[in-house]
Structures are given as structure tokens and as C-alpha cells.
Amino acid sequence: MEFSAEDHQHIRYNPLKDEWVLVSPHRMKRPWSGQIERPQEEEIPEHDPNNPLCPGVTRPNGQINPHYSSTFVFTNDFPALLENVPEPPESGDPLFQMKKAEGTCRVMCFHPKSNVTIPLMTEEEISTVIRGWIVQMNELGEKYAWVQVFENKGSIMGCSNPHPHCQIWASSFLPNEARIKDMHQRKYYEKFGYPMLLDYLKKELQKQVRVVIENSDWVVLVPYWAVWPFETMILPRTHIKQMTDLTQDEVESLASIMKRLTTRYDNLFQTSFPYSMGWHGAPTGPYKDNGDHWLFHGIYYPPLLRSATVKKFMVGYEMLAQCQRDLTPEQAAERLRNLSEIHYKQQ
Ligand code: H2U
């Protein structure tokens, strides 16, 4: 029998993280009798006077949000990272290591209206969000090693508030994902003299099997090593190392491709598509170097697998052995390619 990646199980390598994923495409045919998620709450009011992220609302800590008309950033009232804390003592025992962790956490509201998600925003509004991220990256990146901008969207992803927003966590240390990706991109650069992800993108553009959409500056693809069913990456065509390097044109073209991608996501199962997404780029602050091995990129990790109500669980084998997927990345890319860029709510 001849091997076909669409039919036969195999493992694939992720060079960014030095990890493997098990791909089992034959399992796509199995019936689902497990958990069905409740459809997400679709009818969200434009303004809720009890929602602490809305304009003009008094938050539980007594602070009053301004009547903001575009984006609004504030320090998280319940931050996981604080700025000034005592340092733990040095430990000589390799089995009991602690290190200092300083940082700050912020919340950025994307839009004054609670029912306007990224795909429903205008490109200009999304550009304003990206410019807001750049301001935060510039400011926090002066001091901190890593500034993680991330959006948790949908209650299925643990998002506690339907108002469109993201979080920004800045830390004195490199978190695991950053540290591992930094290490493997650096090794690749030292070996081949070229950034790993630019090499990867060149090859994906030749193959065209996992590319979903493109514009003059950006490419969206389902990575060869994707673990989530409809996981995608947004990659720049040129050697951009950090979000703060973007030109005005690149901000606008990024806003455009984000809108196109998230519209396709919403159209896939005709639902406000849940995901965790965020941006990775060269480390900052005390960890900043020339960053030549880095390519700035966005990552979307959506949990839905078959419908608006059936999600992929990362449990069992994933927790104890390694990640596994049924749908191949090529099949996922084709599904996403075949979708309309007119939002189902606006048709
Ligand atoms: P998530 O929905 O992604 O969990 O983000 C909401 C964040 O907003 C959460 O981190 C913060 C929470 O701590 N928050 C405030 O800082 N103040 C509030 O009054 C409500 C929520």
C-alpha cells in the first residue's frame, strides 16, 4: 500500500518547539457521542452597565472607565504578575529551583461596543487595536523580557467577559513557549544562516497546500505541525522581528488579513469562533539582542473540531504522551480556503 498523508497515520515534526504531533486522519470518520458544548451566547448587548469592561462603568475596585470611543487599556485589577515583589532566595538544590518573577498585566478593550468582535470591526478599527498593541510593546518592552499580547475569545476558552478585549502580560522572565521557540530558532539560524520561519514560509508558498489567504505583506497558513484542528499562523513576507517594527502600511495590511481570517473562522461553523490567539516576536528588555533568528508571527489556537458545539479535547494521550489530531493540516487549510469572506451576520 502506498503512503498517503490524507489516509494514513503518521507523526510530524514541529521544528519551532522540537515536538512531534500524531496525525490520525482515518479517525475523522468516527461518530461523536461525547460532550457537546452549549452554543455560545450570541446575543450580547451593545452596552451592559454591569460589565466592568464597558465605557463609563464603575469597576468593582471603584475605578470608573472613561467613555472611550476606540480602545482602552488599564492595569488588570487581578494581575498574575506584580511589579515590585521580594526576590526568592538562591537555591543550591537542582530539584528545588525558584527564580524571581516580576511583571505587570493589562487589559485592552478593543471597541466601546460589547457585541463587536474583530471580524465585525472595520479594518481601520482593527488597525487602531494593532497600533495600541505596538504602544504597549514599546512601553513594556523597555523594561520586560517578554510582552505577551493574547486574546481569549469565547467562554469555551475560559474567557470571562464577552466584551472584545485582550490581555497583555509583561514579565521579567522568558515564559516557556518563548524560551523554547527562541532556542530552536537560534539553533536553526546558527546552522543555516537564515531565519527558520522565513525559510519555512518560502517553502509553504511554493507548496501552496497549507496556505489559507495572502496579501502583499502577510500569509495565513495552517502550520505543517498544527495541533489544534483549525490552528493558523500569520507570517510576514519579510524579516520583521517584532511587532514594534511594523510600518503603517504593514499595520493596515495586517488588520485586513486578520479581519479576513476571523471572518472565515466565524463562517466555518456560523458562530462567533472561539480561540486563543497572540503574537510572538524577538525578546525585549534585558533579553533583547539583534533578534536575527526571529520572525514576528501571530498564532490562532481554536478549539472547535466538527461544529459550533464539538471541540477538540487536549486530554488523555495529549497530556500523557503527545498531541494528536484527526483532520490533517492540509484538509483544515482547504476547509478554510473554501469559506466566504463575507461574514454570515452581514450577508
Ligand atoms: P478574560 O476574559 O480573558 O479572562 O479577561 C478579563 C480580564 O479582565 C481578567 O484578567 C480582568 C480580569 O482579571 N478584569 C479586571 O481587571 N477588572 C475587572 O473589573 C473585571 C475583569
Side-chain angles (χ1 to χ4, degrees):
M1 216 198 295
E2 206 179 311
F3 174 77
S4 146
E6 302 268 292
D7 297 314
H8 302 130
Q9 71 211 32
H10 54 279
I11 54 173
R12 289 191 189 195
Y13 185 62
N14 177 349
L16 261 180
K17 300 207 313 193
D18 186 28
E19 281 180 3
W20 293 83
V21 51
L22 170 62
V23 186
S24 321
H26 54 281
R27 282 209 339 155
M28 274 311 283
K29 293 166 196 123
R30 84 187 162 129
W32 180 254
S33 54
Q35 177 172 322
I36 308 272
E37 301 292 328
R38 279 194 319 137
Q40 306 235 323
E41 186 67 55
E42 284 280 315
E43 285 319 311
I44 293 160
E46 197 174 287
H47 181 86
D48 175 357
N50 295 315
N51 186 333
L53 300 192
C54 284
V57 168
T58 305
R59 303 208 298 276
N61 69 352
Q63 288 192 358
I64 303 170
N65 294 339
H67 289 275
Y68 62 92
S69 56
S70 64
T71 58
F72 166 55
V73 180
F74 63 95
T75 301
N76 199 312
D77 300 318
F78 314 100
L81 288 157
L82 294 166
E83 282 184 78
N84 297 308
V85 283
E87 275 190 42
E90 286 274 326
S91 163
D93 189 329
L95 295 180
F96 297 93
Q97 290 286 315
M98 253 190 216
K99 282 188 180 169
K100 100 174 174 175
E102 281 180 340
T104 188
C105 299
R106 295 180 180 171
V107 177
M108 181 199 276
C109 299
F110 292 158
H111 197 278
K113 293 184 182 172
S114 293
N115 55 356
V116 181
T117 55
I118 293 279
L120 298 172
M121 286 167 64
T122 64
E123 287 182 18
E124 187 40 47
E125 287 169 335
I126 304 171
S127 294
T128 303
V129 170
I130 300 170
R131 283 191 285 267
W133 287 335
I134 292 173
V135 168
Q136 295 298 315
M137 287 292 312
N138 268 323
E139 186 194 321
L140 295 168
E142 280 278 304
K143 177 169 176 191
Y144 293 109
W146 190 257
V147 183
Q148 186 60 60
V149 173
F150 64 95
E151 180 190 3
N152 271 343
K153 180 165 171 268
S155 53
I156 201 176
M157 289 310 288
C159 179
S160 61
N161 194 307
H163 192 90
H165 70 282
C166 73
Q167 297 196 44
I168 302 159
W169 291 22
S171 61
S172 59
F173 57 93
L174 278 191
N176 287 331
E177 292 286 306
R179 183 175 51 79
I180 290 165
K181 282 170 119 173
D182 185 63
M183 178 168 72
H184 294 298
Q185 288 180 97
R186 191 184 294 279
K187 279 189 188 161
Y188 187 97
Y189 191 80
E190 281 165 6
K191 191 165 172 192
F192 298 106
Y194 203 74
M196 175 199 281
L197 285 178
L198 267 187
D199 254 353
Y200 172 66
L201 178 61
K202 259 197 212 162
K203 291 177 186 177
E204 287 289 20
L205 286 170
Q206 281 159 12
K207 294 182 196 293
Q208 285 289 336
V209 283
R210 282 169 295 272
V211 173
V212 179
I213 42 174
E214 304 177 41
N215 66 19
S216 54
D217 300 316
W218 304 93
V219 178
V220 174
L221 51 80
V222 179
Y224 179 74
W225 51 80
V227 297
W228 292 94
F230 293 97
E231 177 178 331
T232 54
M233 265 174 123
I234 302 187
L235 293 155
R237 289 182 190 273
T238 54
H239 193 185
I240 295 170
K241 301 170 196 174
Q242 186 47 272
M243 179 147 43
T244 47
D245 299 340
L246 297 186
T247 63
Q248 263 327 308
D249 284 352
E250 286 162 347
V251 166
E252 282 162 27
S253 56
L254 181 57
S256 164
I257 210 156
M258 283 173 66
K259 181 173 169 74
R260 291 171 60 198
L261 171 64
T262 51
T263 299
R264 283 168 185 264
Y265 271 156
D266 278 11
N267 285 344
L268 180 61
F269 299 128
Q270 305 250 314
T271 192
S272 185
F273 203 66
Y275 54 70
S276 276
M277 70 80 64
W279 304 99
H280 282 175
T284 48
Y287 283 65
K288 189 178 163 110
D289 58 16
N290 62 23
D292 284 346
H293 53 296
W294 266 92
L295 186 69
F296 167 69
H297 59 276
I299 312 120
Y300 285 78
Y301 294 132
L304 295 183
L305 171 62
R306 289 162 179 250
S307 67
T309 50
V310 175
K311 74 168 182 182
K312 163 77 184 164
F313 284 93
M314 287 287 184
V315 293
Y317 194 79
E318 282 83 359
M319 291 176 105
L320 291 151
Q322 77 179 27
C323 289
Q324 181 275 336
R325 61 179 294 132
D326 297 347
L327 182 78
T328 66
E330 298 73 41
Q331 289 167 333
E334 192 180 354
R335 293 273 301 274
L336 292 171
R337 265 197 307 272
N338 289 338
L339 292 163
S340 165
E341 290 189 359
I342 301 170
H343 197 278
Y344 72 92
K345 283 189 172 169
Q346 294 170 338
Q347 262 167 7

